[in-house]
Amino acid sequence: MNTESNSYTFLFAALMVLVVASTLAFTASSLKTKQDENVRKEKMQSILKTIGINTSRDGAEELYIKHIKEEFSLDQKGNIDDSVSAFSIKLIREIKKPISDQRFPVFIAEVKDERYYVIPLRGAGLWDAIWGYVALRDDKNTIEGIIFDHKGETAGLGAEISQQWFQDLFKEEKLFDIQGNLVGINVSKTNNDPKNLDKDDHEVDAISGATITGDGVSDMILERMRHYLPYFNKLDI
Amino acid sequence: MSKESNKSINKKKSSLLFINKEREPLFSKKNRVLLTDPLDDNNPITVQVLGICSALAITVQLEPAVVMSLSVVAVMGASNVIVSLLRNLIPNRIRIIVQLVVVASMVVLVDQILKAYAYDVYKELSIFIGLIITNCIVMGRLEAFALGNNVWRSFLDGIGNAAGYGLILIVVAFFRELFGSGKLYGFQVIPESVYDLGYENNGLMLLSPMALIIVGIYIWFQRSKNRKLIEKN
């Protein structure tokens, strides 16, 4: 067989593309339900973790139903829009819509009679997207817990934002200053409080070598929380 | 068709797959060299200077380095076998494309299966797994070895080269994690009391240039032990 002829080359290429494409398409579609299930349970797991409940992925669903009392999505003006399920909102798609079409999910959790507001976050790190969830106490100001994850930050540097020690720095930090303005949390390289004892300074210590990821975290918190101001203002009246 | 001609066709068929029909033992000396040579004398990173880019990128911590090494072992073993099986069928003019398609589909397959059945490992690894496609060692071995050797030898060559690559990755990651963050495999190994005495983690270790310097020191060390690697002139 002449493997150098044009017709053989074309035939080989066509056959190869067919075989590879159908193998990959078959694998992807037959594994899809299992994969989606993993993603869904991981989301529940993440939301639970912000309110201090650590669970395995398999146990997440049960605890989620137990602790998450309400889920709803808000429009730009802070009104609840019942037509959109909060859990199914994917911020990756949502933030690309015009602001008036965007919906902002809120999860209300209850642990030992304490009420928490869990809000999903999404922003940009150095290489790719970063995201997370923040749980606020009933004053809608103090952070009860926060978690971050990332797609492609550098291991050992930016990727450290998904580590417990970094997320613990945010605990009990305040989002609003005394005048009630939203200032967010600054991941700061010039933090005067490296032991993080001052919980009212709106600052946490940055990670060396991960300046841009840290700035991304600060920006993400401020940007996402801004959209919830109308809702919080309504609650306070 | 006579029995004899049938036999000869069979023989021809099998020799397509296994050129060495002389019943060479599976781990003959010649084959063992395929596994051990890339660990030292012909190391893909320190001697052939391939795969440097990922050696810089993922050696900040030991754990991703180990996992990356294992994934490269799997991908290289499998893709070397596939390309070796097809080596007499692949048209010469599009062989690079074919190799790339084989590697890429192996990587995507591994990625998808992990996402469904080992989600935690997948989350840890997904970015690194994508990086394997661009690892020059994989394509380099397909082109230089699997296209011209039988399946078993290609398999050994793939595993050996991936192990040589992994060895350097792990050595570099060991020093970078130890001196950069005082940990090994995520566990604190430098005790708090040492820090109290004024010891500080070396932040420079976390940045890529130090990986290059550690690889350089490794090459120096390797050549001082193994004189035949030193180039004349």
Side-chain angles (χ1 to χ4, degrees), chain B residues 87-141:
Chain B
R87 69 185 184 279
N88 294 322
L89 299 172
I90 297 173
N92 201 33
R93 278 176 295 180
I94 58 164
R95 66 182 194 284
I96 302 279
I97 301 173
V98 175
Q99 291 161 15
L100 199 62
V101 169
V102 169
V103 177
S105 35
M106 291 313 298
V107 168
V108 175
L109 222 55
V110 169
D111 197 53
Q112 289 290 320
I113 292 171
L114 285 180
K115 191 176 178 186
Y117 294 105
Y119 192 69
D120 296 306
V121 183
Y122 163 80
K123 277 189 58 190
E124 193 77 17
L125 283 192
S126 57
I127 41 164
F128 303 129
I129 290 189
L131 271 178
I132 297 175
I133 304 180
T134 61
N135 191 326
C136 14
I137 302 174
V138 185
M139 288 257 304
R141 293 326 291 173

Coordinates of all heavy atoms in Angstrom, one line a residue, chain B residues 87-141:
Chain B
R87 N 2.3 2.9 13.2 CA 3.4 3.6 12.6 C 3.6 3.2 11.1 O 4.1 4.0 10.3 CB 4.7 3.2 13.3 CG 5.1 1.8 13.2 CD 6.4 1.5 14.1 NE 6.8 0.2 14.0 CZ 6.3 -0.9 14.6 NH1 5.3 -0.7 15.4 NH2 6.8 -2.1 14.4
N88 N 3.1 2.1 10.7 CA 3.2 1.7 9.3 C 2.1 2.2 8.4 O 2.0 2.1 7.2 CB 3.3 0.2 9.1 CG 4.6 -0.3 9.7 OD1 5.6 0.3 9.6 ND2 4.5 -1.4 10.4
L89 N 1.1 2.8 9.1 CA -0.1 3.3 8.4 C -0.1 4.8 8.2 O -0.8 5.4 7.4 CB -1.4 2.9 9.1 CG -1.6 1.4 9.2 CD1 -2.8 1.1 10.1 CD2 -1.8 0.7 7.9
I90 N 0.6 5.5 9.1 CA 0.6 7.0 9.2 C 1.3 7.5 8.0 O 2.5 7.2 7.7 CB 1.2 7.5 10.5 CG1 0.5 7.0 11.7 CG2 1.3 9.0 10.4 CD1 1.1 7.4 13.0
P91 N 0.6 8.4 7.1 CA 1.3 9.0 6.0 C 2.4 10.0 6.5 O 2.1 10.7 7.5 CB 0.2 9.8 5.3 CG -1.1 9.3 5.9 CD -0.8 8.7 7.2
N92 N 3.5 9.9 5.9 CA 4.6 10.7 6.4 C 4.4 12.1 6.5 O 4.8 12.8 7.4 CB 5.9 10.4 5.5 CG 7.1 10.7 6.2 OD1 7.2 10.5 7.4 ND2 8.1 11.1 5.5
R93 N 3.7 12.7 5.5 CA 3.5 14.1 5.4 C 2.6 14.7 6.5 O 2.7 15.9 6.8 CB 3.0 14.5 4.0 CG 4.0 14.5 3.0 CD 3.4 14.8 1.6 NE 2.6 13.7 1.2 CZ 1.9 13.7 0.1 NH1 2.0 14.7 -0.7 NH2 1.2 12.6 -0.3
I94 N 1.7 13.9 7.0 CA 0.9 14.5 8.1 C 1.2 13.8 9.5 O 0.3 13.8 10.3 CB -0.6 14.4 7.7 CG1 -1.0 12.9 7.5 CG2 -1.0 15.2 6.6 CD1 -2.5 12.7 7.5
R95 N 2.4 13.3 9.6 CA 2.6 12.5 10.8 C 2.6 13.4 12.1 O 2.1 12.9 13.1 CB 3.9 11.7 10.7 CG 5.2 12.6 10.7 CD 6.4 11.8 10.5 NE 7.6 12.6 10.8 CZ 8.1 13.5 9.9 NH1 7.5 13.7 8.8 NH2 9.1 14.2 10.3
I96 N 3.1 14.6 12.0 CA 3.1 15.5 13.1 C 1.6 15.8 13.6 O 1.3 15.8 14.8 CB 3.8 16.8 12.8 CG1 5.2 16.6 12.4 CG2 3.7 17.8 14.0 CD1 6.2 16.3 13.5
I97 N 0.8 16.0 12.6 CA -0.6 16.3 12.9 C -1.3 15.1 13.6 O -2.0 15.2 14.6 CB -1.4 16.6 11.6 CG1 -0.8 17.9 11.0 CG2 -2.9 16.9 11.9 CD1 -1.4 18.2 9.6
V98 N -0.9 13.9 13.0 CA -1.5 12.7 13.6 C -1.0 12.5 15.1 O -1.8 12.2 16.0 CB -1.1 11.4 12.8 CG1 -1.6 10.2 13.4 CG2 -1.7 11.5 11.4
Q99 N 0.3 12.8 15.3 CA 0.8 12.6 16.7 C 0.1 13.6 17.6 O -0.3 13.2 18.7 CB 2.3 12.9 16.7 CG 3.1 11.9 16.0 CD 4.5 12.5 15.7 OE1 4.9 13.5 16.2 NE2 5.2 11.8 14.8
L100 N -0.1 14.8 17.1 CA -0.8 15.8 17.9 C -2.2 15.4 18.3 O -2.7 15.5 19.4 CB -0.8 17.2 17.2 CG -1.0 18.4 18.1 CD1 0.1 18.5 19.1 CD2 -1.0 19.6 17.2
V101 N -2.9 14.9 17.3 CA -4.3 14.4 17.5 C -4.3 13.3 18.5 O -5.2 13.3 19.4 CB -4.9 14.0 16.2 CG1 -6.3 13.3 16.4 CG2 -5.1 15.2 15.3
V102 N -3.4 12.4 18.4 CA -3.4 11.3 19.3 C -3.1 11.8 20.8 O -3.9 11.4 21.7 CB -2.3 10.2 19.0 CG1 -2.0 9.2 20.1 CG2 -2.6 9.5 17.7
V103 N -2.1 12.6 20.9 CA -1.8 13.1 22.3 C -3.0 13.9 22.8 O -3.5 13.7 23.9 CB -0.6 14.0 22.3 CG1 -0.3 14.6 23.6 CG2 0.6 13.3 21.8
A104 N -3.6 14.8 22.0 CA -4.6 15.7 22.5 C -5.9 14.8 22.8 O -6.5 15.1 23.9 CB -5.0 16.7 21.4
S105 N -6.2 13.8 22.0 CA -7.4 13.1 22.4 C -7.1 12.2 23.6 O -8.0 12.1 24.5 CB -7.9 12.2 21.2 OG -6.8 11.7 20.5
M106 N -5.9 11.7 23.8 CA -5.6 11.0 25.1 C -5.8 11.9 26.3 O -6.4 11.5 27.3 CB -4.2 10.5 25.1 CG -3.8 9.4 24.2 SD -4.9 8.1 24.2 CE -4.8 7.5 25.9
V107 N -5.3 13.1 26.1 CA -5.4 14.1 27.3 C -6.8 14.4 27.6 O -7.3 14.5 28.7 CB -4.5 15.3 26.9 CG1 -4.8 16.4 27.9 CG2 -3.1 15.0 27.0
V108 N -7.6 14.7 26.5 CA -9.0 15.1 26.7 C -9.8 13.9 27.4 O -10.6 14.1 28.3 CB -9.7 15.5 25.4 CG1 -11.2 15.7 25.6 CG2 -9.0 16.7 24.9
L109 N -9.5 12.7 26.9 CA -10.1 11.5 27.5 C -9.8 11.4 29.0 O -10.7 11.2 29.8 CB -9.6 10.3 26.7 CG -10.5 9.2 26.3 CD1 -11.7 9.8 25.5 CD2 -9.8 8.1 25.5
V110 N -8.5 11.5 29.3 CA -8.1 11.4 30.7 C -8.9 12.5 31.5 O -9.5 12.2 32.6 CB -6.6 11.6 30.9 CG1 -6.2 11.8 32.3 CG2 -5.9 10.4 30.3
D111 N -8.9 13.7 31.0 CA -9.6 14.8 31.6 C -11.0 14.5 31.9 O -11.6 14.8 33.0 CB -9.4 16.0 30.7 CG -9.7 17.3 31.4 OD1 -9.0 17.5 32.5 OD2 -10.5 18.1 30.9
Q112 N -11.7 14.0 30.9 CA -13.2 13.8 31.0 C -13.5 12.7 32.0 O -14.4 12.8 32.8 CB -13.8 13.4 29.6 CG -13.8 14.5 28.7 CD -14.9 15.5 29.1 OE1 -16.0 15.2 29.5 NE2 -14.6 16.8 28.9
I113 N -12.7 11.6 32.0 CA -12.9 10.5 32.9 C -12.7 10.9 34.3 O -13.5 10.6 35.2 CB -12.0 9.3 32.5 CG1 -12.5 8.7 31.1 CG2 -12.1 8.2 33.5 CD1 -11.6 7.7 30.5
L114 N -11.6 11.7 34.5 CA -11.3 12.2 35.9 C -12.5 13.0 36.4 O -12.9 13.0 37.5 CB -10.0 13.0 35.9 CG -8.7 12.2 35.9 CD1 -7.6 13.1 35.9 CD2 -8.7 11.2 37.0
K115 N -13.0 13.9 35.5 CA -14.1 14.8 35.9 C -15.3 14.0 36.3 O -16.1 14.5 37.2 CB -14.5 15.7 34.7 CG -15.3 16.9 35.1 CD -15.6 17.8 34.0 CE -16.5 18.9 34.4 NZ -16.9 19.8 33.3
A116 N -15.6 12.9 35.7 CA -16.7 12.1 36.1 C -16.5 11.2 37.3 O -17.3 11.1 38.2 CB -17.2 11.3 34.9
Y117 N -15.3 10.6 37.4 CA -15.1 9.6 38.4 C -14.2 10.0 39.5 O -14.1 9.3 40.6 CB -14.7 8.3 37.8 CG -15.8 7.7 36.9 CD1 -15.7 7.8 35.6 CD2 -16.9 7.1 37.5 CE1 -16.8 7.3 34.8 CE2 -17.9 6.6 36.8 CZ -17.9 6.7 35.4 OH -18.9 6.2 34.6
A118 N -13.3 11.0 39.3 CA -12.4 11.4 40.4 C -12.4 12.9 40.4 O -11.4 13.5 40.0 CB -11.0 10.8 40.2
Y119 N -13.5 13.5 40.8 CA -13.7 14.9 40.7 C -12.7 15.7 41.4 O -12.2 16.8 41.0 CB -15.1 15.3 41.1 CG -15.5 16.7 40.7 CD1 -15.7 17.0 39.4 CD2 -15.7 17.7 41.7 CE1 -16.1 18.3 39.0 CE2 -16.1 18.9 41.3 CZ -16.3 19.2 40.0 OH -16.6 20.5 39.6
D120 N -12.3 15.2 42.6 CA -11.3 16.0 43.4 C -10.0 16.0 42.7 O -9.3 17.1 42.7 CB -11.2 15.4 44.8 CG -12.5 15.5 45.6 OD1 -13.0 16.7 45.6 OD2 -13.1 14.5 46.0
V121 N -9.6 14.9 42.2 CA -8.3 14.9 41.5 C -8.4 15.8 40.2 O -7.5 16.5 39.9 CB -8.0 13.4 41.0 CG1 -6.6 13.4 40.3 CG2 -8.0 12.5 42.2
Y122 N -9.5 15.7 39.6 CA -9.7 16.5 38.4 C -9.6 18.0 38.7 O -8.9 18.7 38.0 CB -11.1 16.3 37.8 CG -11.6 17.4 36.9 CD1 -11.2 17.4 35.5 CD2 -12.5 18.4 37.3 CE1 -11.6 18.3 34.7 CE2 -12.9 19.4 36.4 CZ -12.5 19.3 35.1 OH -12.9 20.3 34.3
K123 N -10.2 18.4 39.8 CA -10.1 19.9 40.2 C -8.6 20.3 40.4 O -8.2 21.3 40.1 CB -10.9 20.1 41.4 CG -12.4 20.3 41.1 CD -13.1 20.8 42.3 CE -12.5 22.1 42.9 NZ -13.1 22.5 44.2
E124 N -7.9 19.4 41.1 CA -6.5 19.6 41.4 C -5.7 19.8 40.1 O -4.8 20.5 40.0 CB -6.0 18.5 42.2 CG -4.7 18.7 42.9 CD -4.8 19.6 44.1 OE1 -6.0 19.8 44.6 OE2 -3.8 20.1 44.6
L125 N -6.1 19.0 39.1 CA -5.2 18.7 38.0 C -5.5 19.3 36.7 O -4.7 19.4 35.8 CB -5.2 17.2 37.7 CG -4.4 16.4 38.6 CD1 -4.3 15.0 38.0 CD2 -3.0 17.0 38.8
S126 N -6.8 19.8 36.6 CA -7.3 20.0 35.2 C -6.4 20.9 34.4 O -6.2 20.7 33.2 CB -8.7 20.5 35.2 OG -8.7 21.7 36.0
I127 N -5.9 22.0 35.0 CA -5.0 22.9 34.2 C -3.7 22.2 33.8 O -3.2 22.4 32.7 CB -4.7 24.2 34.9 CG1 -4.3 23.9 36.4 CG2 -5.7 25.2 34.7 CD1 -3.6 25.1 37.0
F128 N -3.2 21.3 34.6 CA -1.9 20.7 34.3 C -2.1 19.7 33.2 O -1.3 19.5 32.4 CB -1.3 20.0 35.5 CG -1.1 20.9 36.7 CD1 -1.6 20.6 37.9 CD2 -0.5 22.1 36.5 CE1 -1.4 21.5 39.0 CE2 -0.3 23.0 37.5 CZ -0.8 22.7 38.8
I129 N -3.3 19.0 33.3 CA -3.5 18.0 32.3 C -3.6 18.6 30.9 O -3.0 18.1 29.9 CB -4.8 17.2 32.6 CG1 -4.6 16.4 33.8 CG2 -5.3 16.3 31.4 CD1 -5.6 15.5 34.2
G130 N -4.2 19.8 30.8 CA -4.2 20.5 29.5 C -2.8 20.8 29.1 O -2.5 20.7 27.9
L131 N -1.9 21.1 30.0 CA -0.5 21.4 29.7 C 0.2 20.3 29.0 O 1.2 20.5 28.3 CB 0.2 21.8 30.9 CG 0.2 23.3 31.4 CD1 0.9 23.5 32.7 CD2 0.8 24.2 30.3
I132 N -0.2 19.1 29.3 CA 0.6 17.9 28.8 C 0.6 17.9 27.3 O 1.6 17.6 26.7 CB -0.1 16.6 29.3 CG1 0.0 16.5 30.8 CG2 0.6 15.4 28.7 CD1 -0.7 15.3 31.3
I133 N -0.5 18.4 26.6 CA -0.5 18.5 25.2 C 0.7 19.2 24.6 O 1.2 18.9 23.6 CB -1.8 19.1 24.7 CG1 -3.0 18.4 25.3 CG2 -1.9 19.1 23.2 CD1 -4.4 19.0 24.8
T134 N 1.0 20.3 25.3 CA 2.1 21.1 24.8 C 3.5 20.7 25.3 O 4.5 21.3 25.0 CB 1.9 22.6 25.3 OG1 2.0 22.6 26.7 CG2 0.6 23.1 24.8
N135 N 3.5 19.6 26.0 CA 4.8 19.1 26.5 C 5.7 18.5 25.4 O 5.3 17.5 24.8 CB 4.6 18.1 27.6 CG 5.9 17.8 28.3 OD1 7.0 17.8 27.8 ND2 5.8 17.5 29.6
C136 N 6.8 19.2 25.1 CA 7.6 18.8 23.9 C 8.1 17.4 24.0 O 8.4 16.7 23.0 CB 8.7 19.8 23.6 SG 9.1 20.9 25.0
I137 N 8.3 16.9 25.3 CA 8.8 15.5 25.4 C 7.9 14.5 24.8 O 8.3 13.6 24.1 CB 9.0 15.1 26.9 CG1 9.9 16.1 27.6 CG2 9.6 13.7 27.0 CD1 10.0 15.9 29.0
V138 N 6.6 14.7 24.9 CA 5.6 13.7 24.4 C 5.8 13.6 22.9 O 6.0 12.5 22.4 CB 4.2 14.1 24.8 CG1 3.2 13.0 24.4 CG2 4.1 14.4 26.3
M139 N 5.7 14.7 22.2 CA 5.8 14.7 20.8 C 7.2 14.3 20.4 O 7.3 13.6 19.4 CB 5.5 16.1 20.2 CG 4.1 16.5 20.3 SD 3.2 16.4 18.7 CE 4.2 17.4 17.7
G140 N 8.2 14.7 21.1 CA 9.5 14.4 20.8 C 9.7 12.9 20.8 O 10.4 12.3 19.8
R141 N 9.2 12.2 21.7 CA 9.4 10.7 21.8 C 8.6 10.0 20.7 O 9.0 9.0 20.2 CB 9.0 10.1 23.2 CG 9.9 10.5 24.3 CD 11.4 10.7 23.9 NE 12.0 9.4 23.6 CZ 13.2 9.3 23.1 NH1 13.9 10.4 22.8 NH2 13.7 8.2 22.8

